[in-house]
PDB file of all heavy atoms in Angstrom:
ATOM      1  N   ALA T  47     123.373 143.805 145.634  1.00 94.00           N
ATOM      2  CA  ALA T  47     122.828 143.704 146.984  1.00 94.00           C
ATOM      3  C   ALA T  47     124.117 144.080 148.073  1.00 94.00           C
ATOM      4  O   ALA T  47     125.243 144.006 147.664  1.00 94.00           O
ATOM      5  CB  ALA T  47     122.446 142.264 147.308  1.00 94.00           C
ATOM      6  N   ALA T  48     123.728 144.222 149.272  1.00 93.00           N
ATOM      7  CA  ALA T  48     124.701 144.498 150.313  1.00 93.00           C
ATOM      8  C   ALA T  48     125.725 143.331 150.356  1.00 93.00           C
ATOM      9  O   ALA T  48     125.300 142.230 150.336  1.00 93.00           O
ATOM     10  CB  ALA T  48     124.012 144.694 151.708  1.00 93.00           C
ATOM     11  N   GLY T  49     126.968 143.578 150.337  1.00 94.00           N
ATOM     12  CA  GLY T  49     128.082 142.583 150.397  1.00 94.00           C
ATOM     13  C   GLY T  49     128.259 141.893 149.092  1.00 94.00           C
ATOM     14  O   GLY T  49     129.117 141.005 149.077  1.00 94.00           O
ATOM     15  N   ALA T  50     127.614 142.189 148.008  1.00 95.00           N
ATOM     16  CA  ALA T  50     127.767 141.489 146.733  1.00 95.00           C
ATOM     17  C   ALA T  50     128.783 142.140 145.847  1.00 95.00           C
ATOM     18  O   ALA T  50     129.097 143.368 146.089  1.00 95.00           O
ATOM     19  CB  ALA T  50     126.456 141.447 145.935  1.00 95.00           C
ATOM     20  N   GLU T  51     129.331 141.533 144.854  1.00 95.00           N
ATOM     21  CA  GLU T  51     130.211 142.128 143.862  1.00 95.00           C
ATOM     22  C   GLU T  51     129.904 141.461 142.494  1.00 95.00           C
ATOM     23  O   GLU T  51     129.277 140.375 142.450  1.00 95.00           O
ATOM     24  CB  GLU T  51     131.622 141.978 144.188  1.00 95.00           C
ATOM     25  CG  GLU T  51     132.236 140.570 144.038  1.00 95.00           C
ATOM     26  CD  GLU T  51     133.736 140.600 144.319  1.00 95.00           C
ATOM     27  OE1 GLU T  51     134.221 141.323 145.146  1.00 95.00           O
ATOM     28  OE2 GLU T  51     134.356 139.789 143.791  1.00 95.00           O
ATOM     29  N   VAL T  52     130.312 142.150 141.486  1.00 94.00           N
ATOM     30  CA  VAL T  52     130.037 141.621 140.080  1.00 94.00           C
ATOM     31  C   VAL T  52     131.275 142.172 139.284  1.00 94.00           C
ATOM     32  O   VAL T  52     131.782 143.172 139.470  1.00 94.00           O
ATOM     33  CB  VAL T  52     128.676 142.368 139.516  1.00 94.00           C
ATOM     34  CG1 VAL T  52     128.861 143.814 139.343  1.00 94.00           C
ATOM     35  CG2 VAL T  52     128.412 141.652 138.107  1.00 94.00           C
ATOM     36  N   LYS T  53     131.678 141.268 138.461  1.00 94.00           N
ATOM     37  CA  LYS T  53     132.787 141.449 137.511  1.00 94.00           C
ATOM     38  C   LYS T  53     132.264 141.885 136.066  1.00 94.00           C
ATOM     39  O   LYS T  53     131.425 141.106 135.543  1.00 94.00           O
ATOM     40  CB  LYS T  53     133.669 140.278 137.379  1.00 94.00           C
ATOM     41  CG  LYS T  53     134.285 140.040 138.794  1.00 94.00           C
ATOM     42  CD  LYS T  53     135.256 138.938 138.705  1.00 94.00           C
ATOM     43  CE  LYS T  53     135.810 138.476 140.066  1.00 94.00           C
ATOM     44  NZ  LYS T  53     136.357 139.483 140.954  1.00 94.00           N
ATOM     45  N   ILE T  54     132.720 142.965 135.501  1.00 93.00           N
ATOM     46  CA  ILE T  54     132.159 143.391 134.206  1.00 93.00           C
ATOM     47  C   ILE T  54     133.297 143.327 133.181  1.00 93.00           C
ATOM     48  O   ILE T  54     134.368 143.786 133.477  1.00 93.00           O
ATOM     49  CB  ILE T  54     131.738 144.873 134.293  1.00 93.00           C
ATOM     50  CG1 ILE T  54     130.517 144.926 135.289  1.00 93.00           C
ATOM     51  CG2 ILE T  54     131.382 145.395 132.928  1.00 93.00           C
ATOM     52  CD1 ILE T  54     130.092 146.297 135.525  1.00 93.00           C
ATOM     53  N   ALA T  55     133.155 142.502 132.192  1.00 93.00           N
ATOM     54  CA  ALA T  55     134.239 142.313 131.208  1.00 93.00           C
ATOM     55  C   ALA T  55     134.344 143.609 130.325  1.00 93.00           C
ATOM     56  O   ALA T  55     133.522 144.286 129.940  1.00 93.00           O
ATOM     57  CB  ALA T  55     133.876 141.164 130.347  1.00 93.00           C
ATOM     58  N   LEU T  56     135.841 143.749 130.092  1.00 91.00           N
ATOM     59  CA  LEU T  56     136.145 144.941 129.274  1.00 91.00           C
ATOM     60  C   LEU T  56     136.977 144.451 128.050  1.00 91.00           C
ATOM     61  O   LEU T  56     137.706 143.448 128.180  1.00 91.00           O
ATOM     62  CB  LEU T  56     137.071 145.910 130.190  1.00 91.00           C
ATOM     63  CG  LEU T  56     136.513 146.366 131.467  1.00 91.00           C
ATOM     64  CD1 LEU T  56     137.719 147.160 132.161  1.00 91.00           C
ATOM     65  CD2 LEU T  56     135.341 147.219 131.285  1.00 91.00           C
ATOM     66  N   GLU T  57     136.850 145.191 126.949  1.00 91.00           N
ATOM     67  CA  GLU T  57     137.758 144.910 125.810  1.00 91.00           C
ATOM     68  C   GLU T  57     138.307 146.146 125.308  1.00 91.00           C
ATOM     69  O   GLU T  57     137.657 147.203 125.181  1.00 91.00           O
ATOM     70  CB  GLU T  57     136.911 144.242 124.730  1.00 91.00           C
ATOM     71  CG  GLU T  57     136.680 142.753 124.941  1.00 91.00           C
ATOM     72  CD  GLU T  57     135.928 142.290 123.675  1.00 91.00           C
ATOM     73  OE1 GLU T  57     135.554 142.956 122.677  1.00 91.00           O
ATOM     74  OE2 GLU T  57     135.826 140.974 123.709  1.00 91.00           O
ATOM     75  N   TRP T  58     139.536 146.166 124.851  1.00 87.00           N
ATOM     76  CA  TRP T  58     140.304 147.202 124.263  1.00 87.00           C
ATOM     77  C   TRP T  58     140.590 146.858 122.783  1.00 87.00           C
ATOM     78  O   TRP T  58     141.095 145.858 122.610  1.00 87.00           O
ATOM     79  CB  TRP T  58     141.622 147.581 124.838  1.00 87.00           C
ATOM     80  CG  TRP T  58     141.528 148.238 126.208  1.00 87.00           C
ATOM     81  CD1 TRP T  58     141.467 149.602 126.482  1.00 87.00           C
ATOM     82  CD2 TRP T  58     141.580 147.695 127.655  1.00 87.00           C
ATOM     83  NE1 TRP T  58     141.531 149.783 127.830  1.00 87.00           N
ATOM     84  CE2 TRP T  58     141.501 148.681 128.448  1.00 87.00           C
ATOM     85  CE3 TRP T  58     141.660 146.345 128.068  1.00 87.00           C
ATOM     86  CZ2 TRP T  58     141.613 148.430 129.869  1.00 87.00           C
ATOM     87  CZ3 TRP T  58     141.724 146.111 129.350  1.00 87.00           C
ATOM     88  CH2 TRP T  58     141.692 147.215 130.240  1.00 87.00           C
ATOM     89  N   ARG T  59     140.355 147.800 121.933  1.00 86.00           N
ATOM     90  CA  ARG T  59     140.837 147.693 120.540  1.00 86.00           C
ATOM     91  C   ARG T  59     142.034 148.409 120.470  1.00 86.00           C
ATOM     92  O   ARG T  59     142.134 149.665 120.564  1.00 86.00           O
ATOM     93  CB  ARG T  59     139.797 148.236 119.561  1.00 86.00           C
ATOM     94  CG  ARG T  59     138.441 147.711 119.707  1.00 86.00           C
ATOM     95  CD  ARG T  59     138.121 146.776 118.446  1.00 86.00           C
ATOM     96  NE  ARG T  59     136.915 146.034 118.717  1.00 86.00           N
ATOM     97  CZ  ARG T  59     136.822 144.738 118.692  1.00 86.00           C
ATOM     98  NH1 ARG T  59     137.832 144.004 118.478  1.00 86.00           N
ATOM     99  NH2 ARG T  59     135.626 144.203 118.838  1.00 86.00           N
TER     100      ARG T  59
END
Side-chain angles (χ1 to χ4, degrees):
E51 74 175 30
V52 64
K53 296 182 185 313
I54 298 172
L56 308 172
E57 283 185 354
W58 284 274
R59 301 250 175 243

